[in-house]
Amino acid sequence: MTMKLTTDPSAATLLPIAKKEGVSTVWDRHRAMQPQCGFGQLGVCCRICWKGPCRIDPFGDGPQRGICGADADTIVARNVIRMIAAGAAGHSEHGRHVALALQGVAEGRLPAYQIRDEAKLRAVAAKLDICTEGQDIPAIAAAVAKATLEDFQNQDHDAPCNWIEASLTKKRLERLQALHVLPHNIDAVITQIMGRTLVGCDADPVNLILGGIKGALADFDGMCLATELSDALFGTPSPVITAANLGVIKPDAVNIAVHGHNPLLSEVVCEVAGQMDEEARKAGAKDGINIVGICCTGNEVMVRHGIPLAANYLSQELALITGAVDAMVVDVQCIMPSVSEIGACFHTAVITTMAENKIPGATHVDFKEETALESARRIVATAIDAYKRRDPRRVNIPDFKQTAIVGFGVESVVGALATLNAEDPLQPLIENIANGNIRGIALFAGCNSTQVAQDSSFVTMAKKLAANNVLMLATGCGAGSFAKHGLMTQEATLEYAGDSLKAVLTAIGTSAGLNGPLPLVLHMGSCVDNSRAVQVAVAVADKLGVDLDQLPLVASAPEAMSEKAVAIGTWSVALGIPTHLGTMPQVTGSAKVTELLTQTAKDLLGGYFLVELDPNLAADKLLEVIEERRKGLGI
Amino acid sequence: MKRQRENAIVFADPERCLGCHGCELACAVAHSGTGLHQAALSGLTLRPRNKVVAAGGVMMPVQCRQCEDAPCAAACPTGAMLQESGQVGVREKNCVGCKVCVMVCPFGAISVKHEGSDPESCRTNGGVARKCDLCAGTGRGLPACVEACPTKALSLVDLEEYRQTLIEARAAELAQSLQHLKSRKARI
């Protein structure tokens, strides 16, 4: 039974305990929800006004239009672009938060933060065409923050957002401009989607989807700025050896799980925890304080500080069922509301921190950048206090953890390549792609979903692509799943990589001082960090003088779930990248929208969605796409 | 003599039905021989064999009652409608789509239309009578509508079991009141 739900070995230990204790998990709730509503699955249910709900008969015999006259194509298009707007809103709120923090640091208002990577800040300023000559760091930070915040303020519809303009190839920008889908202002574009999908507005599925693409590109803009400014504030990731899966929770430590997405809080919690270690020891925890990560907050602190990752999305509840998590500190996104209920079954303090993200039953510690240190101290003190109430008889920590080498930002990838060719670091990568040692590059991103046995599609596809010499990058819960299953190790490279990929990874790893190959899959960070992979691709494309849709580059979200994944997938397509989905998108009720996303997009943008639920076949199809692209380049 | 067992029926509880039409969709897909997304993507025309009806403040799906003395079976001129394997069955190959069954069915539970992709020849519309067959032959334990109903408003009722339960419940009530009378008598 367990194997059908998840392939995470920890689950086999913990699910029987959950059952015995009467704790329901995400998989129990998934089962209770079966069968799921077919109208919803097809996307043909409209709840946009109160004349409804309306639903279209997908099989042609019943109603073909809603009460207002909207047909399946209109309804599906509206529903899917609203999802894009929600995803873009999530990422760009994250980005705005980071940009405002940078502004606060520049103005000297935020004692808890500083610019940890000045070189990155300068590089960002240069990228945004900001003159830094003779400027000190606070002045540069202020200018970068100002240029970034313009992306939320600009009212000139013809002037594209600063970040997107600085982040894509010229050809791509022209192509997107010609389709009128370049965003000028993140907030405005998201608002526009909500406005145009209001009852009685935009009903043309093509126009709606183009609006959605613009929203997705706004999402991309928000992600770029969030990633880069986070690096300036908290440090740019560099390779670090750590561990993943629930075995990283320590029985004799105060375990604090940081969960969610935003590094602003977790960074300060990590710092304060270091200072309060002695207090934890005094409370009886002989190993002091142990911070572990969950979801993308976990990825953020993992790639920057080597903090181990306990769980990705679907196993967040299992972390609590170990009975050894003293506090789960959550910020935004992907936090199951069930965690407060499960926390209450144990001694765990579930702590929400954002004014706009509270959970009934959780303790709320209001987090403000100005008073971040105090909030963090309160949080750590709450965890130490909870530790004193822990019942050791209920502690069940599965004995599973895998080593993971993580932290491959653009700078460290280029840095590793520079050990082979300092003059022209990208040359070795391009040469190896051209000579076929590396057939192509695949970016694995996105969620876990109960529609797929947890992590299984990621692992199956990665092994197959690796054997076929495809270089793999990963972010978000995809990265979490590879880390938990031991695919971010040198051993995995030796075991699963095809001969030529193995040779390339070994050459780079050895010359970068790793005493062996690079790991099989390179961990690029959280889901907001998908922009890192684009940066690598743009650099390669610029160097070759081609556009992104010509590169042997594919993306895959084999276990997609979140509205954020809809936004990411859509911008990936808009950038010219064939993008695989391993869960059924809620659009198949409209033949027109399905065709737009899977076929028409190919002509308009070069990228397109490829839906394949079987991970083995999906890997084959991606390999075919890679070969097709290679042929196009004449390599 | 053959032992006669009443046909099972799908029973709908109007107090639980939310009118979501989930049972209709599940029925249509169950009889399509393919999955929901595949059927939608390939543009098949599929028809449910039940229909959610709202009237007089009551809402519930209506489907074939599997009548024991079925008017449709009595009226069918080609012998396509008949008692078969615990239900009123339709031998589709015998059906000419004449709609006599539709006219005599007191519940409107029979439709006569073509399903699948459009018929190739225009010599015939390809319609045959279709009605609830309790999902016989779809390989599922329970009819798809019963499985799909999110509020459990639908159930498959085996009349013999149903009657047995009813009889036992009434007998238990009777036993209880007898006991009560007895104990009161003893006290007096």
PDB file of all heavy atoms in Angstrom, chain A residues 282-310:
ATOM      1  N   LYS A 282      20.903  23.582  28.098  1.00  0.00           N
ATOM      2  CA  LYS A 282      20.464  23.711  29.498  1.00  0.00           C
ATOM      3  C   LYS A 282      19.111  23.055  29.707  1.00  0.00           C
ATOM      4  O   LYS A 282      18.810  22.529  30.772  1.00  0.00           O
ATOM      5  CB  LYS A 282      20.380  25.193  29.886  1.00  0.00           C
ATOM      6  CG  LYS A 282      21.702  25.734  30.426  1.00  0.00           C
ATOM      7  CD  LYS A 282      21.521  27.139  30.972  1.00  0.00           C
ATOM      8  CE  LYS A 282      22.813  27.919  30.858  1.00  0.00           C
ATOM      9  NZ  LYS A 282      22.593  29.341  30.548  1.00  0.00           N
ATOM     10  N   ALA A 283      18.275  23.103  28.648  1.00  0.00           N
ATOM     11  CA  ALA A 283      16.946  22.494  28.755  1.00  0.00           C
ATOM     12  C   ALA A 283      17.014  20.971  28.630  1.00  0.00           C
ATOM     13  O   ALA A 283      15.987  20.293  28.680  1.00  0.00           O
ATOM     14  CB  ALA A 283      16.033  23.069  27.685  1.00  0.00           C
ATOM     15  N   GLY A 284      18.218  20.430  28.451  1.00  0.00           N
ATOM     16  CA  GLY A 284      18.384  18.978  28.426  1.00  0.00           C
ATOM     17  C   GLY A 284      18.679  18.394  27.062  1.00  0.00           C
ATOM     18  O   GLY A 284      18.879  17.180  26.937  1.00  0.00           O
ATOM     19  N   ALA A 285      18.731  19.238  26.033  1.00  0.00           N
ATOM     20  CA  ALA A 285      19.006  18.710  24.696  1.00  0.00           C
ATOM     21  C   ALA A 285      20.518  18.668  24.502  1.00  0.00           C
ATOM     22  O   ALA A 285      21.145  19.699  24.276  1.00  0.00           O
ATOM     23  CB  ALA A 285      18.358  19.594  23.636  1.00  0.00           C
ATOM     24  N   LYS A 286      21.109  17.458  24.612  1.00  0.00           N
ATOM     25  CA  LYS A 286      22.570  17.444  24.636  1.00  0.00           C
ATOM     26  C   LYS A 286      23.193  17.762  23.274  1.00  0.00           C
ATOM     27  O   LYS A 286      24.347  18.145  23.192  1.00  0.00           O
ATOM     28  CB  LYS A 286      23.112  16.154  25.237  1.00  0.00           C
ATOM     29  CG  LYS A 286      22.863  14.884  24.478  1.00  0.00           C
ATOM     30  CD  LYS A 286      23.600  13.762  25.246  1.00  0.00           C
ATOM     31  CE  LYS A 286      23.811  12.525  24.410  1.00  0.00           C
ATOM     32  NZ  LYS A 286      22.619  11.733  24.140  1.00  0.00           N
ATOM     33  N   ASP A 287      22.393  17.678  22.190  1.00  0.00           N
ATOM     34  CA  ASP A 287      22.920  18.074  20.888  1.00  0.00           C
ATOM     35  C   ASP A 287      22.537  19.512  20.496  1.00  0.00           C
ATOM     36  O   ASP A 287      22.685  19.906  19.335  1.00  0.00           O
ATOM     37  CB  ASP A 287      22.439  17.110  19.799  1.00  0.00           C
ATOM     38  CG  ASP A 287      23.135  15.762  19.925  1.00  0.00           C
ATOM     39  OD1 ASP A 287      24.194  15.710  20.599  1.00  0.00           O
ATOM     40  OD2 ASP A 287      22.627  14.762  19.393  1.00  0.00           O
ATOM     41  N   GLY A 288      22.024  20.272  21.451  1.00  0.00           N
ATOM     42  CA  GLY A 288      21.706  21.671  21.158  1.00  0.00           C
ATOM     43  C   GLY A 288      20.523  21.834  20.219  1.00  0.00           C
ATOM     44  O   GLY A 288      19.570  21.052  20.270  1.00  0.00           O
ATOM     45  N   ILE A 289      20.621  22.830  19.336  1.00  0.00           N
ATOM     46  CA  ILE A 289      19.517  23.090  18.411  1.00  0.00           C
ATOM     47  C   ILE A 289      19.867  22.528  17.033  1.00  0.00           C
ATOM     48  O   ILE A 289      20.976  22.703  16.541  1.00  0.00           O
ATOM     49  CB  ILE A 289      19.237  24.604  18.299  1.00  0.00           C
ATOM     50  CG1 ILE A 289      18.731  25.138  19.648  1.00  0.00           C
ATOM     51  CG2 ILE A 289      18.197  24.878  17.210  1.00  0.00           C
ATOM     52  CD1 ILE A 289      18.544  26.632  19.696  1.00  0.00           C
ATOM     53  N   ASN A 290      18.897  21.836  16.438  1.00  0.00           N
ATOM     54  CA  ASN A 290      19.088  21.251  15.108  1.00  0.00           C
ATOM     55  C   ASN A 290      18.025  21.825  14.181  1.00  0.00           C
ATOM     56  O   ASN A 290      16.838  21.582  14.363  1.00  0.00           O
ATOM     57  CB  ASN A 290      18.943  19.726  15.199  1.00  0.00           C
ATOM     58  CG  ASN A 290      19.110  19.041  13.857  1.00  0.00           C
ATOM     59  OD1 ASN A 290      19.978  19.421  13.070  1.00  0.00           O
ATOM     60  ND2 ASN A 290      18.291  18.046  13.584  1.00  0.00           N
ATOM     61  N   ILE A 291      18.468  22.610  13.195  1.00  0.00           N
ATOM     62  CA  ILE A 291      17.494  23.147  12.239  1.00  0.00           C
ATOM     63  C   ILE A 291      17.423  22.234  11.037  1.00  0.00           C
ATOM     64  O   ILE A 291      18.455  21.809  10.511  1.00  0.00           O
ATOM     65  CB  ILE A 291      17.885  24.567  11.809  1.00  0.00           C
ATOM     66  CG1 ILE A 291      18.010  25.424  13.055  1.00  0.00           C
ATOM     67  CG2 ILE A 291      16.878  25.137  10.817  1.00  0.00           C
ATOM     68  CD1 ILE A 291      17.522  26.808  12.961  1.00  0.00           C
ATOM     69  N   VAL A 292      16.205  21.916  10.630  1.00  0.00           N
ATOM     70  CA  VAL A 292      16.026  21.120   9.414  1.00  0.00           C
ATOM     71  C   VAL A 292      15.055  21.877   8.507  1.00  0.00           C
ATOM     72  O   VAL A 292      14.260  22.686   8.989  1.00  0.00           O
ATOM     73  CB  VAL A 292      15.479  19.702   9.714  1.00  0.00           C
ATOM     74  CG1 VAL A 292      16.440  18.932  10.603  1.00  0.00           C
ATOM     75  CG2 VAL A 292      14.084  19.757  10.333  1.00  0.00           C
ATOM     76  N   GLY A 293      15.130  21.600   7.220  1.00  0.00           N
ATOM     77  CA  GLY A 293      14.298  22.323   6.270  1.00  0.00           C
ATOM     78  C   GLY A 293      13.178  21.472   5.718  1.00  0.00           C
ATOM     79  O   GLY A 293      13.288  20.240   5.653  1.00  0.00           O
ATOM     80  N   ILE A 294      12.090  22.129   5.332  1.00  0.00           N
ATOM     81  CA  ILE A 294      10.990  21.467   4.633  1.00  0.00           C
ATOM     82  C   ILE A 294      10.591  22.363   3.463  1.00  0.00           C
ATOM     83  O   ILE A 294      10.563  23.583   3.587  1.00  0.00           O
ATOM     84  CB  ILE A 294       9.790  21.236   5.579  1.00  0.00           C
ATOM     85  CG1 ILE A 294      10.194  20.268   6.698  1.00  0.00           C
ATOM     86  CG2 ILE A 294       8.583  20.687   4.805  1.00  0.00           C
ATOM     87  CD1 ILE A 294       9.113  19.966   7.698  1.00  0.00           C
ATOM     88  N   CYS A 295      10.288  21.740   2.327  1.00  0.00           N
ATOM     89  CA  CYS A 295       9.900  22.481   1.115  1.00  0.00           C
ATOM     90  C   CYS A 295      10.959  23.523   0.760  1.00  0.00           C
ATOM     91  O   CYS A 295      12.139  23.313   1.004  1.00  0.00           O
ATOM     92  CB  CYS A 295       8.513  23.094   1.257  1.00  0.00           C
ATOM     93  SG  CYS A 295       7.205  21.874   1.104  1.00  0.00           S
ATOM     94  N   CYS A 296      10.536  24.662   0.227  1.00  0.00           N
ATOM     95  CA  CYS A 296      11.529  25.558  -0.371  1.00  0.00           C
ATOM     96  C   CYS A 296      12.255  26.438   0.637  1.00  0.00           C
ATOM     97  O   CYS A 296      13.400  26.819   0.390  1.00  0.00           O
ATOM     98  CB  CYS A 296      10.904  26.361  -1.490  1.00  0.00           C
ATOM     99  SG  CYS A 296      10.811  25.356  -2.987  1.00  0.00           S
ATOM    100  N   THR A 297      11.653  26.740   1.779  1.00  0.00           N
ATOM    101  CA  THR A 297      12.447  27.390   2.821  1.00  0.00           C
ATOM    102  C   THR A 297      13.629  26.476   3.115  1.00  0.00           C
ATOM    103  O   THR A 297      14.765  26.911   3.281  1.00  0.00           O
ATOM    104  CB  THR A 297      11.611  27.610   4.101  1.00  0.00           C
ATOM    105  OG1 THR A 297      10.614  28.582   3.829  1.00  0.00           O
ATOM    106  CG2 THR A 297      12.466  28.100   5.239  1.00  0.00           C
ATOM    107  N   GLY A 298      13.337  25.176   3.164  1.00  0.00           N
ATOM    108  CA  GLY A 298      14.378  24.182   3.369  1.00  0.00           C
ATOM    109  C   GLY A 298      15.435  24.240   2.291  1.00  0.00           C
ATOM    110  O   GLY A 298      16.636  24.218   2.565  1.00  0.00           O
ATOM    111  N   ASN A 299      14.986  24.339   1.017  1.00  0.00           N
ATOM    112  CA  ASN A 299      15.953  24.423  -0.081  1.00  0.00           C
ATOM    113  C   ASN A 299      16.807  25.685   0.010  1.00  0.00           C
ATOM    114  O   ASN A 299      17.999  25.659  -0.272  1.00  0.00           O
ATOM    115  CB  ASN A 299      15.216  24.406  -1.431  1.00  0.00           C
ATOM    116  CG  ASN A 299      14.723  23.021  -1.792  1.00  0.00           C
ATOM    117  OD1 ASN A 299      15.418  22.031  -1.559  1.00  0.00           O
ATOM    118  ND2 ASN A 299      13.532  22.932  -2.345  1.00  0.00           N
ATOM    119  N   GLU A 300      16.173  26.802   0.412  1.00  0.00           N
ATOM    120  CA  GLU A 300      16.910  28.075   0.503  1.00  0.00           C
ATOM    121  C   GLU A 300      18.064  27.954   1.517  1.00  0.00           C
ATOM    122  O   GLU A 300      19.196  28.335   1.230  1.00  0.00           O
ATOM    123  CB  GLU A 300      15.969  29.211   0.954  1.00  0.00           C
ATOM    124  CG  GLU A 300      14.857  29.543  -0.041  1.00  0.00           C
ATOM    125  CD  GLU A 300      15.236  30.631  -1.039  1.00  0.00           C
ATOM    126  OE1 GLU A 300      16.307  31.235  -0.901  1.00  0.00           O
ATOM    127  OE2 GLU A 300      14.436  30.864  -1.973  1.00  0.00           O
ATOM    128  N   VAL A 301      17.748  27.436   2.715  1.00  0.00           N
ATOM    129  CA  VAL A 301      18.812  27.357   3.731  1.00  0.00           C
ATOM    130  C   VAL A 301      19.760  26.192   3.447  1.00  0.00           C
ATOM    131  O   VAL A 301      20.904  26.180   3.888  1.00  0.00           O
ATOM    132  CB  VAL A 301      18.251  27.279   5.176  1.00  0.00           C
ATOM    133  CG1 VAL A 301      17.582  28.589   5.556  1.00  0.00           C
ATOM    134  CG2 VAL A 301      17.302  26.112   5.354  1.00  0.00           C
ATOM    135  N   MET A 302      19.274  25.215   2.687  1.00  0.00           N
ATOM    136  CA  MET A 302      20.125  24.079   2.326  1.00  0.00           C
ATOM    137  C   MET A 302      21.220  24.534   1.356  1.00  0.00           C
ATOM    138  O   MET A 302      22.404  24.279   1.582  1.00  0.00           O
ATOM    139  CB  MET A 302      19.267  22.992   1.680  1.00  0.00           C
ATOM    140  CG  MET A 302      19.991  21.681   1.448  1.00  0.00           C
ATOM    141  SD  MET A 302      18.938  20.544   0.505  1.00  0.00           S
ATOM    142  CE  MET A 302      19.629  18.975   0.997  1.00  0.00           C
ATOM    143  N   VAL A 303      20.840  25.236   0.286  1.00  0.00           N
ATOM    144  CA  VAL A 303      21.851  25.597  -0.709  1.00  0.00           C
ATOM    145  C   VAL A 303      22.782  26.705  -0.205  1.00  0.00           C
ATOM    146  O   VAL A 303      23.896  26.849  -0.677  1.00  0.00           O
ATOM    147  CB  VAL A 303      21.253  26.005  -2.079  1.00  0.00           C
ATOM    148  CG1 VAL A 303      20.551  24.830  -2.725  1.00  0.00           C
ATOM    149  CG2 VAL A 303      20.305  27.182  -1.959  1.00  0.00           C
ATOM    150  N   ARG A 304      22.315  27.491   0.764  1.00  0.00           N
ATOM    151  CA  ARG A 304      23.179  28.571   1.254  1.00  0.00           C
ATOM    152  C   ARG A 304      24.020  28.155   2.454  1.00  0.00           C
ATOM    153  O   ARG A 304      25.131  28.628   2.630  1.00  0.00           O
ATOM    154  CB  ARG A 304      22.340  29.801   1.623  1.00  0.00           C
ATOM    155  CG  ARG A 304      21.717  30.451   0.418  1.00  0.00           C
ATOM    156  CD  ARG A 304      21.484  31.942   0.593  1.00  0.00           C
ATOM    157  NE  ARG A 304      20.993  32.491  -0.670  1.00  0.00           N
ATOM    158  CZ  ARG A 304      19.705  32.515  -1.005  1.00  0.00           C
ATOM    159  NH1 ARG A 304      18.795  32.094  -0.160  1.00  0.00           N
ATOM    160  NH2 ARG A 304      19.345  32.980  -2.182  1.00  0.00           N
ATOM    161  N   HIS A 305      23.457  27.291   3.313  1.00  0.00           N
ATOM    162  CA  HIS A 305      24.189  26.984   4.552  1.00  0.00           C
ATOM    163  C   HIS A 305      24.381  25.490   4.792  1.00  0.00           C
ATOM    164  O   HIS A 305      24.873  25.095   5.848  1.00  0.00           O
ATOM    165  CB  HIS A 305      23.447  27.580   5.756  1.00  0.00           C
ATOM    166  CG  HIS A 305      23.121  29.028   5.575  1.00  0.00           C
ATOM    167  ND1 HIS A 305      24.091  29.984   5.414  1.00  0.00           N
ATOM    168  CD2 HIS A 305      21.933  29.668   5.490  1.00  0.00           C
ATOM    169  CE1 HIS A 305      23.502  31.173   5.249  1.00  0.00           C
ATOM    170  NE2 HIS A 305      22.204  31.001   5.282  1.00  0.00           N
ATOM    171  N   GLY A 306      23.919  24.661   3.871  1.00  0.00           N
ATOM    172  CA  GLY A 306      24.091  23.226   4.075  1.00  0.00           C
ATOM    173  C   GLY A 306      23.198  22.660   5.167  1.00  0.00           C
ATOM    174  O   GLY A 306      23.467  21.579   5.697  1.00  0.00           O
ATOM    175  N   ILE A 307      22.133  23.399   5.504  1.00  0.00           N
ATOM    176  CA  ILE A 307      21.201  22.869   6.518  1.00  0.00           C
ATOM    177  C   ILE A 307      20.437  21.696   5.902  1.00  0.00           C
ATOM    178  O   ILE A 307      19.951  21.787   4.769  1.00  0.00           O
ATOM    179  CB  ILE A 307      20.262  23.995   6.989  1.00  0.00           C
ATOM    180  CG1 ILE A 307      21.068  24.894   7.923  1.00  0.00           C
ATOM    181  CG2 ILE A 307      19.018  23.452   7.675  1.00  0.00           C
ATOM    182  CD1 ILE A 307      20.406  26.136   8.351  1.00  0.00           C
ATOM    183  N   PRO A 308      20.367  20.565   6.603  1.00  0.00           N
ATOM    184  CA  PRO A 308      19.773  19.376   5.976  1.00  0.00           C
ATOM    185  C   PRO A 308      18.279  19.541   5.696  1.00  0.00           C
ATOM    186  O   PRO A 308      17.590  20.294   6.390  1.00  0.00           O
ATOM    187  CB  PRO A 308      20.022  18.271   7.005  1.00  0.00           C
ATOM    188  CG  PRO A 308      20.241  18.975   8.291  1.00  0.00           C
ATOM    189  CD  PRO A 308      20.847  20.290   7.959  1.00  0.00           C
ATOM    190  N   LEU A 309      17.831  18.823   4.682  1.00  0.00           N
ATOM    191  CA  LEU A 309      16.430  18.893   4.268  1.00  0.00           C
ATOM    192  C   LEU A 309      15.693  17.676   4.825  1.00  0.00           C
ATOM    193  O   LEU A 309      16.067  16.543   4.539  1.00  0.00           O
ATOM    194  CB  LEU A 309      16.349  18.901   2.739  1.00  0.00           C
ATOM    195  CG  LEU A 309      14.950  19.096   2.163  1.00  0.00           C
ATOM    196  CD1 LEU A 309      14.585  20.575   2.153  1.00  0.00           C
ATOM    197  CD2 LEU A 309      14.857  18.546   0.745  1.00  0.00           C
ATOM    198  N   ALA A 310      14.648  17.918   5.618  1.00  0.00           N
ATOM    199  CA  ALA A 310      13.922  16.791   6.211  1.00  0.00           C
ATOM    200  C   ALA A 310      12.888  16.230   5.254  1.00  0.00           C
ATOM    201  O   ALA A 310      12.704  15.018   5.161  1.00  0.00           O
ATOM    202  CB  ALA A 310      13.247  17.240   7.503  1.00  0.00           C
TER     203      ALA A 310
END
